[in-house]
Structures are given as structure tokens and as C-alpha cells.
Amino acid sequence: MKKQLKVLILTDGGVTENDTFAQGIAESMAAEVHIENHQTNKLHGSKWKNIRRYFNYFIFPLRFIHRRKEYDYILGWQQFYANNLAFYCEMLGLRPRARIVSVNYTYKEKHGIMGKLYKWYMRTHTNSDHLLCIHLPSNMAAEVLHHSLGTSLSKMIVANFGVDDIYHRVKSQEFTFINEGGYVLSLGRSNRDFDFLVEVWKEPELQNETLVILSDTWQPILPLPVNIIHRTDVVGEEAQLYLVHCKVNVIPIDIPTVCSGDTVLLHGMQYECPTVVTAPSTLAEMYIDHGINGLCLTKDVKTFAFELAALLHDESRMKSLGQAARQKFLSRYSRYAMGVVIGNKLKEFQ
């Protein structure tokens, strides 16, 4: 009888957040799947929290160096759990080779001496034989990684991101917001160009629209216009409530080749939010069919303001975009579907 595969998933989030992803992996690979969860990414904001977050990225994987032999595959979703485990195995010259998979991989160039050190570190584990393959949610990101770090495209799995469908649970919760006229929402931590959005909101077409920015990492350069509200204290399920009840969900991406914003985008899609993303970006490439389930707009201030204002004044169009987004989410972007796709792809590496 063929031995059943054993898979370990190292996660960073809620205790049950990746259960359906694990189910998709288990069913597609006919594997026994275990999850080890350690919350690190919630440590954002102060300098001390950021130091603790980076410390946890390196310390938590140490627990699995010797346990690597117990599993056929070790998936890291937090990517740095997988990356650092592969890095340790490579630096220590350990045998046998671990079969580590980095899920939802992101690489962003940094500058100066620290940038050179970071690039060496990323190249070392990415090209290590211990890191079996890398999952990226965008072909654009795969090409960037190939050219920046010399990583073979054959080592990459390009597959869509996914989130759990929590629409009905979240929408049933009570929510009160002081702005009776409604609001446009933009939220996130990494790779957001909120400064661009501030310039957009200075245009006359949007002077009567309220923009709410939820971010505990962004610091405005100048005092904000009166029609922009910036909150640093709204996270987790409360942020989801803001997303459920917004008029439009806007995601302004800073560096277009860096994968980010997927979680916010897909939650917005499942909540039937009309979504606007900047283009080019990996979000525009992989998730949005322009004019059908969202809008992809270039980062020209006047054009962006004009197109967004036109959308906000067209209730029928907003409803149509939101409904189409929900349908596409259900068919392609659940976390279970993501697990099935990645599991099937991993079988090609056996």
C-alpha cells in the first residue's frame, strides 16, 4: 500500500483561518494535513512591534528544523516561516533535503547596504534545493522574481489567492458610522499609495464624497482635507464591517509588480463591493475584468477622479459590478479553491 502523504502548514493568522485551505490541500493530494499557527503579522505599528514581528519570523521556524523529516511537504503561509526554514536548512547543509513550499510569495527590492543583504538572503533561500517551489498569485510577480533573483520559472506555481467566504456572518453584525451619506473605503498596510488617493480627493468631482482610510502604518505627509478620515485603530472584523458597508472599495497600489492587496480585494468581492484598483498592478492582472466585476484605472489624478465620480453617481452600475464580483469570487477565489489548485500543482513536483 502506498504511504499516505503528510503535509505541515505553517500559518500566521486566526486559529481556524486556513482550515478550508488545508481541506483543499488534503483532498487534492490525498494527504494528511497538520496546521501549526503562530500569529506574527498583527505586530505592526510601533518600532518595538516591528522588531518583535521580524524576530518571530526567524524564531518560529526553528521549531521545525528537526521535525522536517516527519513531513513530505512543509508549506509556509506566512512566507517567511517557509523562507527562513529553507534558509536555515541551506546554511546548515542539512540532509535530507526538505520539501518546503512558500505560499503567497512577495519580493520587494530594498536599497542601500541592508538592501544588498536582503537580496542575498532572498536569493539564498529562494534558489535553495530545500525550497521545493514558490507560489505567486501573478505572472507579473513571477517574471520580476525570475529577473531579480535568478529563480527558475519552473520552480514557481502561479495560482490565484483565496479567502474564506464570511459574507453572511459579517454582514449580520451591527454597524454604525456617523457619515449618513456613505463613504468610499481604502484600507491596507503594505504597498499602498494613499498619498495618490489624497491628491485624487482634492479634485472638485469628489469634494462631496467622504473617503475613509484604514491603515495603522501610513503616515500622511500633510494635513488631510476635511473629506478624508484616517483611522489607525480599526483592524480585524471591525475593518471588515467598514468594507461591507462602503459604497466603493478603492485599492491604490504603490509598486505594481509587488503582490499585495489580494486579501482586501477578495473580501470586497465577496461582500459585493464595487472595487476600483490602480493599473498596472497584479490585482488588475489576475482578478479584475475591467468594467465587468470592477474597474482598473491608471494613476492619473484627474482621470481617476473623473471615472470614480462617474461610478459613484451610477447606482445601477455599482450594483452590477458588485454582484458580478461576488459571483466570480464564489467560482474561483475561495480559500478552499486555492488549496485545491496548489495541491494539484504540487503533485507535478513529486
Side-chain angles (χ1 to χ4, degrees):
M1 177 181 287
K2 186 178 180 180
K3 175 188 172 184
Q4 185 180 29
L5 294 174
K6 293 185 68 175
V7 177
L8 173 66
I9 305 177
L10 306 179
T11 68
D12 178 7
V15 175
T16 62
E17 190 173 308
N18 288 306
D19 283 357
T20 56
F21 173 73
Q23 181 185 354
I25 292 289
E27 292 181 8
S28 60
M29 300 186 72
E32 177 185 337
V33 177
H34 301 269
I35 298 177
E36 291 276 355
N37 183 72
H38 184 74
Q39 286 195 290
T40 294
N41 256 346
K42 64 181 180 179
L43 296 170
H44 280 269
S46 68
K47 184 177 180 180
W48 171 239
K49 282 186 176 181
N50 287 331
I51 291 172
R52 287 176 59 199
R53 176 161 54 91
Y54 292 127
F55 182 77
N56 283 338
Y57 285 157
F58 281 91
I59 294 300
F60 180 64
L62 287 172
R63 295 170 49 185
F64 305 97
I65 289 179
H66 294 295
R67 290 179 58 188
R68 74 191 190 283
K69 300 177 184 179
E70 300 174 20
Y71 299 95
D72 298 285
Y73 298 89
I74 300 177
L75 278 61
W77 188 0
Q78 162 54 250
Q79 74 166 43
F80 285 108
Y81 293 161
N83 298 349
N84 286 326
L85 182 57
F87 180 77
Y88 294 144
C89 291
E90 184 69 21
M91 291 295 96
L92 295 172
L94 298 181
R95 298 291 185 275
R97 297 283 187 181
R99 297 170 66 81
I100 301 169
V101 181
S102 187
V103 179
N104 204 38
Y105 193 97
T106 299
Y107 173 66
K108 182 179 178 180
E109 290 273 4
K110 300 182 184 296
H111 302 289
I113 294 175
M114 291 303 296
K116 292 180 180 179
L117 180 62
Y118 181 68
K119 188 170 186 175
W120 168 80
Y121 153 74
M122 295 293 278
R123 183 187 290 118
T124 299
H125 72 252
T126 302
N127 296 316
S128 166
D129 289 338
H130 288 280
L131 194 65
L132 176 68
C133 58
I134 302 158
H135 160 250
L136 303 105
S138 162
N139 289 302
M140 185 189 304
E143 289 291 341
V144 169
L145 190 64
H146 172 62
H147 291 294
S148 298
L149 301 180
T151 308
S152 171
L153 292 171
S154 64
K155 196 173 184 174
M156 303 180 196
I157 294 173
V158 177
N160 293 320
F161 190 71
V163 298
D164 275 340
D165 186 2
I166 57 174
Y167 174 73
H168 296 291
R169 176 172 64 81
V170 174
K171 193 171 184 179
S172 65
Q173 296 183 35
E174 184 177 346
F175 177 76
T176 303
F177 186 68
I178 58 174
N179 191 292
E180 295 181 358
Y183 58 94
V184 176
L185 183 69
S186 191
L187 69 155
R189 286 173 170 151
S190 63
N191 198 32
R192 299 297 199 276
D193 194 353
F194 292 125
D195 295 322
F196 165 75
L197 215 51
V198 170
E199 293 304 311
V200 169
W201 239 256
K202 293 178 182 178
E203 293 297 302
E205 294 94 334
L206 296 171
Q207 63 180 353
N208 295 321
E209 298 289 345
T210 298
L211 171 65
V212 177
I213 297 176
L214 304 182
S215 178
D216 57 3
T217 57
W218 175 62
Q219 297 294 327
I221 300 173
L222 298 171
L224 297 175
V226 294
N227 58 345
I228 297 180
I229 299 171
H230 177 214
R231 297 283 300 273
T232 61
D233 59 338
V234 179
V235 296
E237 200 137 293
E238 186 180 2
Q240 296 296 314
L241 285 170
Y242 273 81
L243 189 54
V244 166
H245 294 281
C246 72
K247 290 161 58 174
V248 174
N249 174 31
V250 181
I251 308 178
I253 295 299
D254 185 16
I255 302 173
T257 56
V258 173
C259 295
S260 53
D262 309 65
T263 302
V264 172
L265 172 67
L266 294 181
H267 277 300
M269 289 178 70
Q270 71 164 282
Y271 299 150
E272 297 185 335
C273 293
T275 300
V276 178
V277 302
T278 53
S281 65
T282 60
L283 300 182
E285 174 198 344
M286 298 296 288
Y287 300 101
I288 299 296
D289 298 318
H290 177 68
I292 298 176
N293 68 326
L295 298 183
C296 304
L297 303 179
T298 58
K299 289 171 70 174
D300 176 82
V301 169
K302 293 189 178 297
T303 301
F304 200 98
F306 177 82
E307 294 286 348
L308 183 55
L311 176 63
L312 289 166
H313 287 89
D314 192 336
E315 292 282 348
S316 176
R317 191 182 184 204
M318 285 194 291
K319 184 176 181 180
S320 175
L321 292 175
Q323 290 176 339
R326 169 76 177 166
Q327 291 306 310
K328 188 167 186 180
F329 166 80
L330 290 173
S331 65
R332 294 187 59 184
Y333 300 136
S334 70
R335 194 151 285 191
Y336 169 78
M338 178 184 175
V340 170
V341 171
I342 291 179
N344 286 330
K345 292 281 189 181
L346 281 178
K347 288 189 290 189
E348 299 174 10
F349 290 86
Q350 291 183 21

